[in-house]
Amino acid sequence: MEAKQSFYRKLPKVELHAHLNGSISQSTIYKLIKYHKDKNKTDFVLPEAWQVSIAKGEQRSLEDCFDIFKLIHKLVDDTNAVKMVTRDVVQEFAEDGVRYLEIRTTPRANTQNGMSKTAYIDAVLAGVGEALSGDSDIIVKLLLSIDRRQSFQDAINTVELASQYRDKSPPHCSVVGVDLSGDPSAGDIPELVPALTQAKKNGLKLALHVAEIVNNKDTESLLALLPDRIGHGTYLLPSKGGCQQFVDMVQQHKIPIEMCLTSNVKGRTVAGYLDHHFKYWYDANHPISVCTDDKGVFASDLSDEYSIVAQTFGLSNEEVWTLSEAAIDQCFASDTTKQQLKRIWKDNKPCSSN
Ligand code: IMP
Ligand code: ZN
């Protein structure tokens, strides 16, 4: 059993769907609580560490999950905290065997301490730099998130920031695209579509949360943008309340889907691991990647997720390796980086026996 677990840790992995503030480990949460206690001037009640993570076997409503992010955002409210959590998150992914990471985050300003959205992004890039200056062997890219609740003005501002940072990214971490996320039951998608269209025109990649809950109108508008990747895609299938046109479109354009199993089980958007739509798309040989979504909030790292996928759907070590390698082609990275990653995978290929 231990050898089995170490297989998933040693497996080289690609993480394509990780929200920065959802990925904060319990040990970093303790550091943040101490940081605020030392500052001694919080105007809010500090949360306890257990309040910002959903333990094994526990589940919450999606609404409760979004309340957890509000608590975390209170803890990560200045550039020191943003830099620290970014450094820790990147190091932890590297320690878990992730060799390529796309981290996404919603730029946040704080008028109380003068943090601007650009200062927030600079702090994230500085945190990545600190992680990489150690011995973390990992390539990191950044996506800027648009929250569904935001206005067109906020969204287009994020698109402009992403374009500016893409053009002046430091060598250690480039901004490669835009994510659309946030509470799937909120927001006005028709208002945000022109901003996402502009992002595409600017040459940014689009990774959009689509069909996280049943909302076929939003799904139709978002699929019409032909995103470069889909987050979740839980309710695309007709059997789940989506429709065949969605499935046909996603298959025809081979739009990769980021699968976040524990997130969906703990957030109760799927009934259980066995009911997860992973199976449909895996059996259809569609491009998919295994992802964590929020490794801190959902208390599950990427090795755990691969192990769960293998156990739930009966994948051999070789099949798990192939699944992990296939994610390389879904990265928002250059062909040279993809070739470099493929060499790492080849060097770590397991023997054919299980
Ligand atoms: P941040 O963007 O780094 O602050 O990460 C937390 C944010 O990611 C949350 O406030 C949400 O907007 C978004 N997020 C995290 N998990 C999910 C999810 O499962 N669905 C939709 N949005 C999510
Ligand atoms: Zn997500």
Side-chain angles (χ1 to χ4, degrees):
M1 187 64 186
E2 230 170 71
K4 193 80 190 155
Q5 289 315 316
S6 89
F7 165 76
Y8 300 109
R9 303 247 159 254
K10 281 194 201 140
L11 176 75
K13 294 174 284 290
V14 161
E15 170 64 85
L16 299 180
H17 188 137
H19 300 268
L20 176 63
N21 286 297
S23 301
I24 305 172
S25 63
Q26 287 277 284
S27 62
T28 305
I29 292 288
Y30 285 118
K31 282 199 230 171
L32 285 167
I33 292 172
K34 182 172 179 321
Y35 173 67
H36 282 282
K37 280 187 178 155
D38 291 349
K39 273 207 304 188
N40 205 19
K41 57 174 182 60
T42 44
D43 55 357
F44 59 90
V45 180
L46 285 169
E48 305 267 346
W50 61 266
Q51 289 177 292
V52 295
S53 182
I54 307 170
K56 200 170 186 305
E58 273 185 38
Q59 292 181 347
R60 305 275 172 87
S61 68
L62 214 48
E63 207 185 334
D64 289 345
C65 293
F66 284 98
D67 284 342
I68 294 180
F69 295 120
K70 287 185 199 148
L71 285 180
I72 296 174
H73 284 157
K74 285 184 175 178
L75 286 173
V76 187
D77 69 343
D78 66 20
T79 51
N80 289 332
V82 173
K83 189 162 74 165
M84 176 173 78
V85 301
T86 308
R87 186 195 57 217
D88 286 7
V89 163
V90 171
Q91 278 172 351
E92 287 158 2
F93 273 115
E95 281 159 17
D96 188 35
V98 173
R99 309 301 290 267
Y100 176 93
L101 166 67
E102 282 175 21
I103 196 97
R104 54 186 79 189
T105 194
T106 324
R108 237 173 334 114
N110 184 348
T111 46
Q112 275 163 7
N113 60 30
M115 178 171 73
S116 62
K117 288 186 180 182
T118 52
Y120 180 98
I121 300 167
D122 289 338
V124 171
L125 294 171
V128 175
E130 279 187 14
L132 299 183
S133 68
D135 55 3
S136 300
D137 192 6
I138 184 168
I139 296 170
V140 186
K141 309 271 181 205
L142 182 63
L143 304 175
L144 298 186
S145 302
I146 294 169
D147 190 309
R148 294 174 57 112
R149 279 183 191 274
Q150 289 178 328
S151 63
F152 167 76
Q153 205 45 53
D154 284 328
I156 200 76
N157 179 239
T158 302
V159 170
E160 281 161 9
L161 285 171
S163 306
Q164 286 161 17
Y165 273 86
R166 189 250 333 261
D167 296 340
K168 64 161 195 189
S169 296
H172 67 270
C173 178
S174 38
V175 174
V176 288
V178 163
D179 155 61
L180 175 76
S181 51
D183 185 344
S185 62
D188 183 350
I189 292 303
E191 182 177 342
L192 299 180
V193 162
L196 297 167
T197 306
Q198 187 59 48
K200 233 183 145 160
K201 274 195 197 140
N202 291 8
L204 293 163
K205 297 287 187 186
L206 284 188
L208 308 180
H209 286 60
V210 177
E212 211 174 339
I213 58 173
V214 184
N215 185 336
N216 287 353
K217 254 183 120 183
D218 282 359
T219 301
E220 196 177 347
S221 312
L222 294 173
L223 287 183
L225 288 162
L226 292 182
D228 297 284
R229 287 198 314 255
I230 288 172
H232 301 298
T234 316
Y235 293 93
L236 291 170
L237 298 172
S239 59
K240 303 262 185 183
C243 62
Q244 193 56 42
Q245 288 98 299
F246 296 160
V247 177
D248 292 345
M249 191 165 182
V250 171
Q251 281 180 330
Q252 187 197 339
H253 294 278
K254 294 193 171 55
I255 306 175
I257 307 179
E258 304 149 356
M259 302 282 174
C260 312
L261 280 81
T262 297
S263 162
N264 299 153
V265 169
K266 288 196 172 179
R268 295 200 194 118
T269 54
V270 301
Y273 287 108
L274 267 173
D275 298 294
H276 200 275
H277 50 291
F278 172 93
K279 177 146 177 62
Y280 175 87
W281 296 100
Y282 182 74
D283 288 348
N285 208 16
H286 188 79
I288 52 175
S289 61
V290 177
C291 306
T292 52
D293 208 8
D294 300 288
K295 76 174 178 61
V297 171
F298 298 117
S300 187
D301 63 21
L302 195 54
S303 297
D304 295 331
E305 291 302 293
Y306 271 99
S307 166
I308 288 167
V309 162
Q311 279 171 38
T312 309
F313 302 107
L315 271 57
S316 68
N317 284 358
E318 214 167 337
E319 286 166 331
V320 170
W321 181 91
T322 304
L323 178 64
S324 155
E325 194 211 23
I328 297 172
D329 285 324
Q330 302 162 36
C331 297
F332 296 157
S334 66
D335 286 344
T336 313
T337 301
K338 289 180 185 174
Q339 290 312 321
Q340 184 188 338
L341 291 168
K342 282 183 182 172
R343 278 195 297 276
I344 297 174
W345 262 249
K346 291 269 173 312
D347 292 345
N348 288 278
K349 191 165 182 167
C351 323
S352 49
S353 67
N354 254 332

